Amino acid sequence: LRDLLTLYATDGDPEILPRVQSYRDYLSWISKQEPETSLRAWQEALRGVDTSTHLSRADTAAETVASEIHSYSLPTERTETLRAFARSRGLTMATLVQVAWGIVLAELLGRDDVVFGGTVSGRPPQVPGVESIVGLFINTVPVRVRLDARETLAELAIRVQSEQASLLDHHHIGLSDIAGAVGAAGSFDTLTVFESYPVDETALTAE
């Protein structure tokens, strides 16, 4: 996206783009990983989840339902309140979105332990220059949210973020492989996607 915006701002001049890393660097890194180790990490993270997390009912799965788009923008004041809450506790906005959806999902299903999908970049920081490699790396991995009535909202968010951070090195494992290793815990029908694309509008409009 950065390269695309740069080309847009420079009338398509490719000479201004920096040299990008080769996809072979990523493939080389992948070849040195041990999938068994990563699958054990996922099994441990989802231990104790013995049922799928589905909002849709089996008897309605075959029905045709028209898709709808619902948009909602938070007021500036509320957005700043959330940012301040996150900053003061070392949290990311993505964690707050995941925790919020976990609470909603738990309430809808009448459970205190739910799993849903989280879309991740899939770009391992161990590969130098991975942010500039051309290719599709995104992956969807399970996100587990366990509610504990003894915890405050802040404590819940901090714990969930810590649990997710411990799995960062295993984001390259495909969801089908994870599901095969963890069983029902890897079966869910909702996911969260958090997008953040800061754009320098001044640079784009500069002549």
Side-chain angles (χ1 to χ4, degrees), residues 7-38:
L7 288 172
Y8 179 82
T10 58
D11 293 326
D13 181 8
E15 297 299 323
I16 198 171
L17 295 178
R19 179 184 176 277
V20 299
Q21 295 296 117
S22 171
Y23 191 75
R24 291 190 182 90
D25 296 339
Y26 171 73
L27 295 178
S28 176
W29 178 83
I30 278 288
S31 68
K32 298 173 184 176
Q33 305 311 300
E34 298 179 354
E36 296 81 6
T37 300
S38 290

Side-chain angles (χ1 to χ4, degrees), residues 166-183:
S166 70
L167 294 166
L168 286 174
D169 289 343
H170 312 292
H171 280 183
H172 61 283
I173 299 295
L175 181 56
S176 60
D177 293 327
I178 296 174
V182 303

Side-chain angles (χ1 to χ4, degrees), residues 92-111:
T92 66
M93 293 299 288
T95 293
L96 296 186
V97 169
Q98 290 180 335
V99 168
W101 180 240
I103 293 173
V104 171
L105 196 56
E107 179 67 20
L108 290 173
L109 295 175
R111 291 165 50 179

Side-chain angles (χ1 to χ4, degrees), residues 184-200:
S187 180
F188 46 81
D189 62 358
T190 65
L191 62 84
T192 59
V193 181
F194 188 86
E195 298 179 338
S196 178
Y197 296 121
V199 176
D200 186 346

